Amino acid sequence: MKELQVDRELCIGCCRCVDFAPMIFAMEDGLAYVEIQPSEDEFDEANNALENCPTEAIDWV
């Protein structure tokens, strides 16, 4: 099963992912991370965050 991941080397701390999916993403030390893996009901929110990340730091691995 794939998991959502934030590449913290690419993250610029813009908080868009947190805006799109606050139950999934959080910020720490000015950078985003995946706080919890999305449930099936949260896949759309997770994908919106992924698609709107300006540095493409979010991906399914």
Side-chain angles (χ1 to χ4, degrees):
M1 181 176 206
K2 290 188 176 187
E3 291 189 354
L4 201 58
Q5 179 178 317
V6 175
D7 183 336
R8 291 172 62 93
E9 290 184 16
L10 295 176
C11 180
I12 58 171
C14 70
C15 297
R16 279 190 176 171
C17 57
V18 176
D19 292 341
F20 280 96
M23 299 299 291
I24 300 168
F25 296 94
M27 301 294 290
E28 180 177 74
D29 298 327
L31 300 174
Y33 71 96
V34 177
E35 188 166 47
I36 61 163
Q37 291 298 317
S39 67
E40 286 184 32
D41 293 338
E42 298 168 321
F43 277 162
D44 286 342
E45 290 176 20
N47 282 324
N48 281 337
L50 182 151
E51 291 171 3
N52 286 284
C53 178
T55 62
E56 299 180 357
I58 304 168
D59 204 356
W60 293 100
V61 294

